[in-house]
Amino acid sequence: MQALLEAKLPCRIAAVISNRADAEGLKTAQSHGIKTAVVAHRDYPDRDSFDAALAKIIDSHKPDIVVLAGFMAHTPPQTLSPAITAS
């Protein structure tokens, strides 16, 4: 998150989303006035439910690009497809 901010890219960071409330990227985003959200995988009974919740929150921000920085879990295409195919 910090590296993206320091790069001063010609874009707007719509939101930073994490599955961990204590993620450093959330703190950095909040200190720069960027919207944040937590989708904690432990709050969902299974992976499909978590992926659906993650897709919903991503799509709510209408991103042009989704960056999975530090998100090491396998992310199925349907989780990102609403954001990718919205153009």
Side-chain angles (χ1 to χ4, degrees), residues 5-83:
L5 291 167
E6 289 173 2
K8 299 186 191 260
L9 300 172
C11 65
R12 176 184 64 88
I13 299 173
V16 174
I17 305 164
S18 178
N19 66 326
R20 292 185 15 243
D22 64 344
E24 195 62 35
L26 293 174
K27 295 174 195 170
T28 302
Q30 290 167 347
S31 72
H32 285 85
I34 299 168
K35 293 178 185 176
T36 62
V38 175
V39 183
H41 61 279
R42 291 188 174 101
D43 291 346
Y44 298 89
D46 53 47
R47 181 60 193 249
D48 288 340
S49 299
F50 168 74
D51 288 341
L54 182 60
K56 185 176 180 178
I57 194 76
I58 290 170
D59 193 44
S60 74
H61 292 285
K62 306 288 187 233
D64 292 325
I65 297 171
V66 176
V67 178
L68 298 175
F71 200 87
M72 299 304 292
H74 170 73
T75 304
Q78 64 270 21
T79 300
L80 300 177
S81 59

